Each structure stands twice: as C-alpha cells, then as structure tokens.
C-alpha cells in the first residue's frame, strides 16, 4: 500500500491585489506548516511570477488553467511553457467554473491534460457533479465519465492529483459530509483500480474541494481516501494555515 502524502492546494480564483497577496504570502511564509504536507497555491495568472518570487520555496505554485498548445494565435490564453517559465510547476485543469461558467468540454480538458503533462507540469485534474446530477442519482456516472477522459490523456500518474469537487458545494457554504466525500473518493479509487492499475489506485492522491474551512477540515482529513484539499475562498484567509495542518 503506497503511503500518499497529504496535498493541499489553494485556488485563489480571480481574487487579490499585489498588496493583499503580499500579506497572504507573508502569513504563509512565516507559518508553521506540517512538513509532510505538500502545499501549492494558484494565483491569477497575472500574478504567477509575483507569487513564485515571494512565496517560500517549500510552497509550490500552480496556474488556474492553461491552453493545449505551447504558443500561437490564441488571444488571452497561457501555455504550460509560459507557466514553467514563471517558475510554477502545476496547473489546475477541468475546474467546475471552467466547465460550467466558460463551457469547457471534457474533450478540451483532456487535450489540456495531455499537453500539460507532456510539458512536465503537474496537473490538478478536477471532477464533480452538479446538484441536479446528485439528486438524480447519477453522481458516479458523471464523475466516472469525467475521470475517463482525464485517464485517457495521462501517461505518468505520478504528476497527477485528482480533485473531487461536488459543484453544489463550491462557494455555497454547503460541504459534502465526510461520509459523502469518502464515498465518492472510495469509488474513484475503485474506478482507477479497475480501469488503470492497482499501483495508480494506491498512489494517486484524491483531494476534496467544496467549502473546506478550518472548522470542517480535520474531520474530512480523517477519511481514509481523502488525501488533501483544493481550497477556494478559505485559501485567501489566515485559516488556510489550519487547513494545511489538518493532519498535523
């Protein structure tokens, strides 16, 4: 059984100024962080360079999205090559806001995953169902289909973290109960075991996202198949430190 190191990502979304982010970064740099936990922060792309320059090197930096080719006539996009050039090592792909606000398809997300991995970026790949899908009882179907497209585009799973983010829990203040999170994580791991390999199922970190706070993080972190968090709003607050230390 592979020992999976705890992984906590902070998705800053479209938030922050140089001033507010500098304050947040100072808080993180001076905090006592659990040394067995991998921490990655995802600033808006315009602040990637700034964040990488200011953050302590023990904290990784991720972009929140990227395109599927290295360069070209794609106004407004950024590539994995550029992300790496700014010193960042990760990218978040398939976030529900990219899927549902900006209409990104499974196919496009798969292509992005393939290109990011070929470019030697780590990928935080997101899956998750909407409220009507959970209420219709199709959660498994939805997340398996999303995971399938990601899996088809992965050669090296060592560079992939899978994030389960129930869309109904993102930014709504509703959190999946620890039992609900564990149930889906367990099923995703079983899917990886059946469709990829035992090794990948045992070693890939499956993290939870959806209104994670200092108040609920320890109970979520105690679940056997919850290997960390992708944190939204709370990652902009000092309580992010408590979430990073959920297993400490």
């Amino acid at each position: 059984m592979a020992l999976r190191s705890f992984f906590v990502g902070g998705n800053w979304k479209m938030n922050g100024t140089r001033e507010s982010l500098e304050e947040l970064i100072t808080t993180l740099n001076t905090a006592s962080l659990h040394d067995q936990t991998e921490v990655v922060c995802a600033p808006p792309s315009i602040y990637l360079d700034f964040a990488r320059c200011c953050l302590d090197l023990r904290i990784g930096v991720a972009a929140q999205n990227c395109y599927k080719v290295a360069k070209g006539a794609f106004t407004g996009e950024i590539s994995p090559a550029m992300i790496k050039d700014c010193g960042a090592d990760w990218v978040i792909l398939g976030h529900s806001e990219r899927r549902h606000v900006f209409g990104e398809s499974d196919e496009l997300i798969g292509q992005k995953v393939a290109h990011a991995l070929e470019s030697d970026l780590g990928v935080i790949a997101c899956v998750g169902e909407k409220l009507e899908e959970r209420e219709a009882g199709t959660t498994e179907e939805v997340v398996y289909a999303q995971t399938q497209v990601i899996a088809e585009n992965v050669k090296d799973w060592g560079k992939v973290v899978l994030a389960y983010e129930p869309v109904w829990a993102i930014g709504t203040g509703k959190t999946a109960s620890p039992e609900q999170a564990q149930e889906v994580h367990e099923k995703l791991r079983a899917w990886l075991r059946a469709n990829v390999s035992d090794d990948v199922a045992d070693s890939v970190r499956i993290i939870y996202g959806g209104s994670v706070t200092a108040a609920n993080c320890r109970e979520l972190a105690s679940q056997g198949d919850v290997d960390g968090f992708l944190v939204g709003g709370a990652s902009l607050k000092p309580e992010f430190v408590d979430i990073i230390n959920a297993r400490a």
Side-chain angles (χ1 to χ4, degrees), residues 86-223:
C86 287
D89 293 313
W90 291 89
V91 63
I92 300 171
L93 290 172
H95 191 281
S96 72
E97 287 151 18
R98 298 304 317 171
R99 292 176 188 271
H100 304 306
V101 180
F102 297 101
E104 291 191 10
S105 66
D106 270 332
E107 185 189 15
L108 176 60
I109 291 160
Q111 292 166 340
K112 290 180 175 196
V113 167
H115 179 61
L117 291 171
E118 281 158 14
S119 309
D120 204 32
L121 269 186
V123 170
I124 301 166
C126 305
V127 300
E129 81 285 8
K130 296 196 239 182
L131 183 59
E132 55 267 34
E133 291 164 338
R134 174 163 282 267
E135 286 173 346
T138 58
T139 295
E140 283 167 59
E141 226 173 287
V142 170
V143 298
Y144 290 168
Q146 291 170 341
T147 307
Q148 171 79 46
V149 179
I150 291 162
E152 286 166 359
N153 288 284
V154 175
K155 292 189 183 83
D156 175 12
W157 283 90
K159 306 271 299 180
V160 178
V161 170
L162 201 54
Y164 168 59
E165 298 205 302
V167 182
W168 48 272
I170 297 174
T172 59
K174 288 181 185 156
T175 313
S177 69
E179 296 72 27
Q180 284 172 318
Q182 168 61 21
E183 183 189 7
V184 177
H185 283 230
E186 199 175 334
K187 285 174 173 166
L188 280 170
R189 207 173 298 286
W191 187 94
L192 290 170
R193 197 173 300 286
N195 295 279
V196 184
S197 72
D198 282 342
D199 279 354
V200 166
D202 287 336
S203 62
V204 163
R205 276 123 10 131
I206 305 177
I207 64 176
Y208 170 78
S211 299
V212 177
T213 63
N216 61 28
C217 64
R218 283 189 175 267
E219 201 184 349
L220 283 161
S222 70
Q223 303 299 309

Side-chain angles (χ1 to χ4, degrees), residues 2-114:
L3 191 63
R4 299 185 296 269
S5 64
F6 207 65
F7 183 103
V8 177
N11 179 9
W12 297 351
K13 304 192 181 182
M14 198 176 75
N15 292 297
T17 59
R18 273 176 181 269
E19 190 182 7
S20 70
L21 295 180
E22 198 164 1
E23 203 175 314
L24 176 63
I25 287 167
T26 301
T27 300
L28 294 173
N29 286 350
T30 54
S32 168
L33 305 180
H34 188 231
D35 61 357
Q36 300 301 303
T37 296
E38 187 170 358
V39 183
V40 174
C41 291
S45 62
I46 202 161
Y47 296 127
L48 272 173
D49 211 9
F50 174 71
R52 183 61 290 168
C53 290
C54 298
L55 273 167
D56 195 293
L57 287 176
R58 66 188 168 155
I59 298 170
V61 173
Q64 298 176 14
N65 187 29
C66 68
Y67 198 51
K68 62 181 180 178
V69 293
K71 61 182 171 112
F74 303 102
T75 302
E77 292 291 329
I78 62 170
S79 71
M82 293 169 180
I83 293 165
K84 286 195 67 88
D85 199 33
C86 287
D89 293 313
W90 291 89
V91 63
I92 300 171
L93 290 172
H95 191 281
S96 72
E97 287 151 18
R98 298 304 317 171
R99 292 176 188 271
H100 304 306
V101 180
F102 297 101
E104 291 191 10
S105 66
D106 270 332
E107 185 189 15
L108 176 60
I109 291 160
Q111 292 166 340
K112 290 180 175 196
V113 167

